[in-house]
Amino acid sequence: MSLLWNWLHSLEWRRGFFAWARTDGVTWVYIFKVLVAAFITLWLAMRLELPQPRTAMITVFIVMQPQSGHVFAKSFYRVLGTLAGSAMMVALIAIFPQNSELFLPSLALWVGLCSAGAMRYRTFRAYGFVLAGYTAAMIGLPVLEHPEQAFMAAVWRVLEISLGILVSTLVSAAILPQSASAAMRNALYQRFGVFAGVVVEALRGNTQRDRFEASNVRFIAEAVGLESLRNVTAFEDPHMRRRSGRLVRMNSEFMAVSTRFNALHQLLERLRARGPLQIVGAIEPGLETLVELLEPYVGRALTEADALRLTLELAAYKDGLQAQVRGLRSEYLQTHPSEAELLDFHTAFELLYRLVDEMFSYAQTHASLSAHSHQREQWDEPYVSRTNWLVSLAAGLRASVVLLLLGSYWLLSDWPSGAMMTLIATVTAGLSAASPNPKRMSFQMACGTLLGAFIGFFETFFVFPWIDGFPLLCMVLAPVFVLGAFLSSRPAYAGYGIGLLVFFAIGSVPNNLTVYNPYTFINDYIGMLLGMLVCAAAGAIILPPNSRWLWSRLEQDLREQVLFAIGGRLRGLGSAFDSRTRDLLHQAYGLAAGKPQVQSQLMRWMFVVLEIGHAVIELRKEQHNAPVHPAYAESQPWRQAIRVMGRALARLFLQPSASNHERALVAVDHAISRVQATDEPFARHFDTSLLRRAQSYLHFIRSSLLDPQSPLAQGLPHAP
């Protein structure tokens, strides 16, 4: 018994240890690697007698990430940004030597363009833009009065940053490496199990709207995050790099699956809420078959072997679905349903068939990951991001205004620490440019810098003079770096950690030649704090990204995706529409953090945009692939009616109003009647009849327009 107890106790201890290792243990490994990389970099920079060893160490703090792939990607774009910023600064100094009246506006324009680019590209590419902006300022501002030093300053800057990048990359890859590709595999494996649980719950009518919206927010964030992870894994793992096309395809196919499911779920919810119950009872046997198929996968990781089995099961389900639908339809016809109820029945099973077809494609691609090369790797429909140009313009304008304002004050006042103030404001504007709340980020960095100032003053004037040797210096600096790295690893406190790490290093870490000057020390930190506070004020005053104007603009962009579905190039339109819509929602949802009503409204807009947009795309595909026959000719009244409906939908989503809503409904009803009145050479089964499928899509658009939960119907009388 005692042996059994000891064994169980040791097993419980091991489980607890592994659980800690997967969570907090990862953080402490990251902190340890930050310390090792920072001190190795500082020692090498001092031994090589670089002018500013602290610059090399700051590179470590900015580049280091818990996963090695992120370090590689960030390092790559940091090098590109540094080279671009250095080249631009040398060019500006050469063009405007000792001419601050023209140099400063030119630098402000460059920094503004880089900040706008950072907001436009929200992955690690954004970091290249950030570096290109503030590298130019870090080189140019200190040598503004000595332009002959600009070239060598740029050279030293590149060497210092390269040293920090090299050491960070080696340490991250050599010491307990955390692979980004492993994180991506885990995310891919877990995603379908969660999705299967949502589908099973929803098809049985047990889901709640809040939980359904929360699940969609999670799937959207995963779609955006997996695209970023895919770009990162290309730097570290040739295994994943060979599968890059399939990973893009999987992401696109999963977005299509979730869109199909959302459409089916929304239709079923409307039918359950509106009645009659006979139609729900007629549809549910077909749904229950899919539920039984998916139940074994709920909450499970979907490996390649599981995906292959799922592919076979879905193929068998698809083969039997048509016969099952015909049988259910025969039974339902005995209840003498109305034309509208029969349309609901047909539309529900058309959406179900499309859902199963998309799920089958997704499972095939997932199963293909086990092969080193596969024909499904050929995929030419990339993930397309969408950023409002006003959002990018606002970020660039804030950075330019801050640099111009503080730079002018520095030149007019001739304050010795004015260059430091302007420089730190530029760095802060760049680091906070891609943040959803730059005001909060800048203020957090100011608080971290203030804490670093107090610690730095004590260590610089009361500790450093008494220590002898590099090991003692590391012991003194380590507690500050541990605290900063720990805070930066927590998203809610990242600004405090960045402020403590980066700006403590700028102001307090000794160079090769250390100068103990309290007056300069205090003035420099005052300049840093003033620069950050001005950035925080600019984030709150100059087109703040979490304000109502931006939500309204992003909501308009979200609505305009329907126009993209109506008029966009048909090749690759479905995946581009999915990714653009989700990317916009992901941005808007993040910017509206803390505003649940705004987030809920944005989510409702996304649902109606995806529903109607995808139905429009399917209608366009059906017309494009129509066989050559007079019933499908361009001049047919049903095709003309669909074009009229497209124009009515465009007006509605550009300017939602009661009159445009009514016009759109009339246009949809007219299109449905024209389709019904047209004869075609095939039997009207959903697997053979083009017009039958078109009628289902049109009916779904109509039901979506009449959904009382839709933002389009708010304030309008509920139509029958």
Side-chain angles (χ1 to χ4, degrees), residues 643-704:
R643 287 194 288 270
V644 171
M645 179 201 70
R647 292 192 290 269
L649 289 175
R651 283 194 299 270
L652 173 62
F653 279 88
L654 273 176
Q655 294 182 336
S657 66
S659 59
N660 285 339
H661 186 266
E662 184 63 29
R663 288 192 190 96
L665 277 173
V666 170
V668 173
D669 288 336
H670 179 66
I672 292 174
S673 66
R674 291 297 86 205
V675 170
Q676 290 174 329
T678 303
D679 293 326
E680 64 178 330
F682 303 105
R684 289 231 167 179
H685 299 304
F686 77 94
D687 56 327
T688 59
S689 170
L690 183 154
L691 293 181
R692 159 74 179 279
R693 293 192 294 272
Q695 189 175 345
S696 293
Y697 292 128
L698 291 168
H699 181 69
F700 180 71
I701 292 174
R702 184 180 188 276
S703 68
S704 182

Side-chain angles (χ1 to χ4, degrees), residues 108-170:
L109 178 62
W110 171 253
V111 171
L113 289 173
C114 291
S115 296
M119 193 64 188
R120 170 63 180 85
Y121 298 97
R122 296 175 308 281
T123 60
F124 282 115
R125 285 180 294 179
Y127 196 67
F129 283 94
V130 171
L131 261 295
Y134 76 67
T135 296
M138 293 186 78
I139 295 171
L141 292 176
V143 300
L144 183 57
E145 296 181 357
H146 304 282
E148 72 280 359
Q149 299 178 8
F151 180 76
M152 286 309 301
V155 171
W156 287 122
R157 172 76 175 168
V158 171
L159 290 175
E160 289 157 359
I161 287 176
S162 300
L163 176 62
I165 287 173
L166 178 63
V167 175
S168 300
T169 304
L170 292 176

Side-chain angles (χ1 to χ4, degrees), residues 501-565:
L501 280 175
V502 173
F503 300 106
F504 172 84
I506 289 176
S508 302
V509 172
N511 280 321
N512 270 325
L513 179 62
T514 303
V515 179
Y516 296 97
N517 187 335
Y519 177 83
T520 302
F521 182 95
I522 294 172
N523 270 271
D524 283 350
Y525 267 108
I526 290 174
M528 291 185 198
L529 292 171
L530 285 176
M532 292 177 189
L533 293 176
V534 169
C535 284
I541 297 171
I542 304 175
L543 301 176
N546 58 345
S547 59
R548 185 174 298 277
W549 74 270
L550 184 57
W551 302 333
S552 301
R553 184 64 205 180
L554 288 174
E555 182 184 294
Q556 181 179 337
D557 285 351
L558 205 56
R559 297 198 310 266
E560 289 177 358
Q561 294 311 298
V562 174
L563 277 70
F564 177 66

